[in-house]
Amino acid sequence: NAGVTQTPKFQVLKTGQSMTLQCAQDMNHEYMSWYRQDPGMGLRLIHYSVGAGITDQGEVPNGYNVSRSTTEDFPLRLLSAAPSQTSVYFCASSPGQGRNYFGPGTRLTVL
Amino acid sequence: SQQGEEDPQALSIQEGENATMNCSYKTSINNLQWYRQNSGRGLVHLILIRSNEREKHSGRLRVTLDTSKKSSSLLITASRAADTASYFCATDGGFSGGYNKLIFGAGTRLAVHP
């Protein structure tokens, strides 16, 4: 099992550009989520999904969109990048109440 | 807003010593988890303790939970240089339903010196 994979590892964007961060898991988990981590802080929940076709907002959803068309994939879209979105983004999956499995992260810089 | 606050923010010890990290949280919970993050990497799950449990062990890890004080502690015994990492507590905020939306503290940075 590859677990949770994320691409790209690094990305630099200019203000106003859009992009999609990819996340995939091969553990057949129902639950997937996106977090962002800013320097010196813990992770904050952006969006999450409790199954294919079902998504909901987390603590900091503004400026991001998600969709979940398959169990395996949960992409995160930045609609119009802003410097405030410079962060490290982590995708996670979970079989339910309990542990989450995290991907290696995408380090995003918005100039 | 962040649910938990870890204490201390940073901890520096020698190999072989024990390391204790504390976490406080604000709301009711179903469970509390501890994660480790090595520099520049993803988070790795260490241990989960449910709200009706008071203590749990896993190898060199010991976690306690006091729901009356809304606090938890993580003890790493006989620390090793490889334990150098940031440690985060995460709670589920007491949400009902099948999925726990994790709420993280800011973490404790542990440095273990050979």
Side-chain angles (χ1 to χ4, degrees):
Chain A
N1 281 358
V4 179
T5 58
Q6 292 183 237
T7 56
K9 285 188 169 58
F10 301 93
Q11 183 70 50
V12 179
L13 293 177
K14 295 181 180 177
T15 297
Q17 287 185 317
S18 63
M19 78 159 296
T20 299
L21 280 62
Q22 302 292 344
C23 174
Q25 53 96 5
D26 61 0
M27 296 173 282
N28 202 33
H29 289 166
E30 286 296 317
Y31 306 103
M32 296 186 74
S33 51
W34 277 100
Y35 293 84
R36 61 177 286 174
Q37 183 178 33
D38 298 306
M41 296 181 69
L43 279 67
R44 291 183 293 169
L45 182 64
I46 304 171
H47 284 287
Y48 67 100
S49 169
V50 298
I54 307 170
T55 64
D56 204 348
Q57 296 181 350
E59 181 186 351
V60 288
N62 292 342
Y64 308 95
N65 269 1
V66 292
S67 60
R68 183 103 179 267
S69 56
T70 67
T71 299
E72 294 79 19
D73 300 299
F74 191 43
L76 178 72
R77 296 183 192 83
L78 278 70
L79 308 172
S80 177
S84 61
Q85 293 178 304
T86 293
S87 190
V88 183
Y89 291 84
F90 291 99
C91 178
S93 72
S94 172
Q97 284 197 351
R99 67 177 292 178
N100 276 246
Y101 296 75
F102 283 85
T106 293
R107 189 173 296 271
L108 175 68
T109 301
V110 182
L111 302 175
Chain B
S1 62
Q2 298 203 273
Q3 163 81 305
E5 293 187 5
E6 279 94 340
D7 168 52
Q9 290 185 332
L11 183 59
S12 182
I13 60 174
Q14 297 296 126
E15 262 190 335
E17 293 180 339
N18 294 343
T20 299
M21 288 158 267
N22 303 297
C23 167
S24 60
Y25 57 92
K26 298 174 185 173
T27 69
S28 62
I29 62 171
N30 297 308
N31 63 65
L32 182 145
Q33 304 177 47
W34 286 90
Y35 287 83
R36 184 186 74 229
Q37 183 180 36
N38 291 87
S39 180
R41 310 289 287 273
L43 276 72
V44 174
H45 181 265
L46 294 176
I47 197 165
L48 179 150
I49 186 165
R50 302 200 184 279
S51 60
N52 60 353
E53 297 175 311
R54 292 296 167 257
E55 187 171 311
K56 203 162 183 180
H57 297 255
S58 177
R60 293 185 296 114
L61 305 180
R62 172 178 170 255
V63 169
T64 61
L65 179 64
D66 186 335
T67 53
S68 67
K69 295 181 179 177
K70 291 187 167 60
S71 67
S72 174
S73 68
L74 171 67
L75 168 68
I76 304 174
T77 60
S79 63
R80 307 165 181 167
D83 294 328
T84 295
S86 291
Y87 292 81
F88 296 91
C89 71
T91 63
D92 63 354
F95 296 107
S96 59
Y99 177 66
N100 54 318
K101 297 185 287 187
L102 296 183
I103 306 171
F104 285 84
T108 292
R109 294 188 310 280
L110 174 66
V112 182
H113 302 283

